[in-house]
Amino acid sequence: MWNGCSRRGSIVRMKRFKFPRLPVGWLVLMTAVIAPGPGTSAAEWSTDGAGREATISTEAGPSYESDGRLKLPAHYREWIFLSSGIDMSYGAAKSGHSMFDNVFVEPTAYREFVRTGRWPDGTSLVLEVRGASEKGSINQHGKFQSGDLMGLEVHVKDTKRFQGDWAFFSFSEGPGAAKIIPTTAECYSCHQQHAAVDTTFVQFYPTLLSIATVKGTLSPAYGAEEAAKR
Amino acid sequence: MWNGCSRRGSIVRMKRFKFPRLPVGWLVLMTAVIAPGPGTSAAEWSTDGAGREATISTEAGPSYESDGRLKLPAHYREWIFLSSGIDMSYGAAKSGHSMFDNVFVEPTAYREFVRTGRWPDGTSLVLEVRGASEKGSINQHGKFQSGDLMGLEVHVKDTKRFQGDWAFFSFSEGPGAAKIIPTTAECYSCHQQHAAVDTTFVQFYPTLLSIATVKGTLSPAYGAEEAAKR
């Protein structure tokens, strides 16, 4: 069963998606992604005690085109960071480029998870894949994340829209809008069978794992898998 | 000169600092870190368009004890994520445990950097070091971040307080408050000499590097180093 469920498949698919190197197309995307402005999603502004402005990028649930494609959450880099991994694979070892992945969650969903250990309807998680560089500036060993954005996938909980409550979208064509990944894809069955909380891999998000453990919201299947190892 | 400037030195120092494994002391810390509540720093609450609550953790600049020790920013995990690295070293290769580092910046400072390419007074960046695991749950290859929090360092810009404007603090004794790292330590001279923007290693933060490039705020020393490689 595990052979049919490999993060590698997902990464390989994402490798087709590569923005041009700095400073051409990537800058255009990232300027759109990180620069707040009027009319961009539901980002709100408030003023803290020191009189400086701070933004909060709630984006209030997923947003779709009329044809059902998911819009890229414009401010995902300002969402709550859950964790990073490097070259993770659930099956065979990866070949090719070394890549980091970063996972972010929309802040209102994060807040609800902290409170209850569960994901509310409207939760979005973004998986961002970046190139891993070794030599660069003064770094001599180990790896750091490069400007090469190599993939973006979004995992959305929208119970009224999706059978099974959740759907995956891969922005393999660029940062505009993405079609749903067909529900026959292995990512669905793998997340269903092995994810620690509600089809999400909370076992790889250290600050959330402790919360789910305390709140008692780990899935029975995950609990059984972990118990079987002991 | 580079021999005297090694991220490894910093990592080695941090290895002394290790929270107990889950679920004992680490949970206590992380509950304090991530659970919002009355009286915890300057975290603010607002309501988005969907009627759900979202928090914004501005923390409005660094906070010190009366003896000058820096208080740990309680909500740093809700700050803006800049990047992760693994086993980075500016000198000799590291030995021992494999570790990830995550860097977060306080949101109001981030917002100002996006606008201007410069860090405002009161900027805090947090370097969080975590264990890197390979085998775990269904992961077979590559590495993911574990629950082992192995170090926390904070880099603070406070021009009225510190000669040279910036100071480093290592929470090597735990999450309470930390003494300043003496300004004779190599981290100061290394950041001064090699960091891309205002003593911060923006060259390793891909979304910020493009901003600093566009805004023209890269340090002359960094520009000369990069030019010499071409």
Side-chain angles (χ1 to χ4, degrees):
Chain A
M1 204 142 38
W2 284 13
N3 290 339
C5 172
S6 163
R7 194 185 185 90
R8 186 191 183 195
S10 175
I11 294 292
V12 168
R13 184 176 56 248
M14 288 188 286
K15 281 174 72 176
R16 294 183 317 192
F17 170 58
K18 186 159 179 186
F19 290 102
R21 285 176 179 262
L22 280 172
V24 193
W26 191 86
L27 257 185
V28 175
L29 167 70
M30 294 315 295
T31 302
V33 167
I34 61 181
T40 55
S41 80
E44 296 173 17
W45 291 75
S46 64
T47 301
D48 68 21
R52 288 183 303 206
E53 283 185 321
T55 188
I56 179 166
S57 304
T58 61
E59 306 193 45
S63 179
Y64 308 91
E65 301 284 0
S66 57
D67 62 2
R69 288 180 305 150
L70 182 72
K71 295 179 187 174
L72 180 68
H75 298 275
Y76 79 85
R77 282 284 311 198
E78 299 176 3
W79 287 4
I80 305 294
F81 169 73
L82 295 183
S83 198
S84 286
I86 185 164
D87 298 334
M88 289 174 71
S89 171
Y90 306 153
K94 277 181 46 192
S95 58
H97 293 301
S98 184
M99 292 181 283
F100 281 95
D101 58 78
N102 302 316
V103 179
F104 303 86
V105 65
E106 190 276 320
T108 57
Y110 167 82
R111 178 62 50 219
E112 185 67 7
F113 193 98
V114 169
R115 197 174 69 83
T116 65
R118 299 180 193 280
W119 294 121
D121 206 15
T123 293
S124 292
L125 296 101
V126 172
L127 175 76
E128 180 197 67
V129 185
R130 281 189 179 271
S133 296
E134 183 176 352
K135 306 284 185 188
S137 179
I138 63 170
N139 195 63
Q140 298 299 313
H141 303 279
K143 291 180 178 170
F144 61 93
Q145 300 192 7
S146 79
D148 286 332
L149 188 53
M150 302 173 85
L152 281 175
E153 287 192 357
V154 184
H155 194 195
V156 175
K157 182 172 186 175
D158 190 335
T159 59
K160 291 189 189 67
R161 185 176 283 251
F162 307 121
Q163 207 171 11
D165 296 348
W166 292 81
F168 292 95
F169 296 83
S170 176
F171 288 79
S172 54
E173 307 300 323
K179 286 185 203 164
I180 186 172
I181 294 177
T183 56
T184 51
E186 61 186 1
C187 44
Y188 291 89
S189 55
C190 180
H191 280 248
Q192 189 70 43
Q193 291 161 19
H194 303 293
V197 178
D198 191 11
T199 80
T200 65
F201 278 107
V202 165
Q203 59 263 55
F204 299 127
Y205 310 145
T207 58
L208 297 193
L209 180 58
S210 58
I211 292 170
T213 303
V214 169
K215 303 282 185 187
T217 56
L218 296 170
S219 79
Y222 172 75
E225 267 184 16
E226 292 302 297
K229 292 179 188 170
R230 287 192 286 266
Chain B
M1 201 141 43
W2 283 12
N3 290 339
C5 172
S6 165
R7 193 184 184 92
R8 184 189 183 197
S10 175
I11 294 292
V12 169
R13 182 175 59 247
M14 288 188 285
K15 282 174 67 175
R16 292 184 317 192
F17 170 58
K18 187 160 179 184
F19 290 102
R21 283 174 181 265
L22 279 171
V24 194
W26 192 86
L27 257 186
V28 175
L29 167 70
M30 293 315 294
T31 302
V33 167
I34 62 179
T40 55
S41 80
E44 297 173 17
W45 291 75
S46 63
T47 302
D48 67 21
R52 289 184 304 210
E53 283 185 321
T55 188
I56 179 166
S57 303
T58 60
E59 306 193 47
S63 180
Y64 307 91
E65 302 284 1
S66 57
D67 62 4
R69 289 180 304 149
L70 182 72
K71 295 180 187 173
L72 181 68
H75 298 274
Y76 78 87
R77 282 285 308 198
E78 299 176 4
W79 287 4
I80 305 293
F81 170 72
L82 295 183
S83 198
S84 286
I86 185 166
D87 299 333
M88 290 174 71
S89 171
Y90 304 153
K94 278 181 46 193
S95 58
H97 293 301
S98 185
M99 293 182 282
F100 281 96
D101 57 79
N102 301 316
V103 179
F104 302 86
V105 64
E106 190 276 320
T108 56
Y110 167 82
R111 178 62 51 217
E112 184 69 4
F113 193 97
V114 169
R115 197 174 69 82
T116 66
R118 300 179 192 280
W119 295 121
D121 205 15
T123 293
S124 291
L125 296 101
V126 172
L127 175 75
E128 180 198 66
V129 185
R130 280 189 180 271
S133 296
E134 183 176 351
K135 307 283 186 191
S137 180
I138 63 169
N139 195 63
Q140 298 299 314
H141 303 279
K143 290 179 178 172
F144 61 93
Q145 300 192 8
S146 79
D148 286 332
L149 188 52
M150 302 173 84
L152 281 174
E153 287 191 358
V154 183
H155 194 194
V156 175
K157 182 173 185 175
D158 191 334
T159 59
K160 292 188 187 67
R161 185 176 283 252
F162 307 121
Q163 207 171 12
D165 296 346
W166 291 83
F168 292 95
F169 295 83
S170 177
F171 289 79
S172 53
E173 307 301 323
K179 286 185 200 166
I180 187 172
I181 295 177
T183 56
T184 50
E186 61 186 0
C187 45
Y188 290 88
S189 55
C190 180
H191 279 249
Q192 188 72 41
Q193 291 161 18
H194 303 294
V197 177
D198 192 11
T199 80
T200 65
F201 277 108
V202 166
Q203 59 262 55
F204 299 128
Y205 310 145
T207 59
L208 297 192
L209 180 58
S210 58
I211 292 169
T213 303
V214 170
K215 302 284 185 185
T217 56
L218 296 170
S219 78
Y222 172 75
E225 267 183 16
E226 292 302 295
K229 291 179 189 170
R230 288 192 286 265

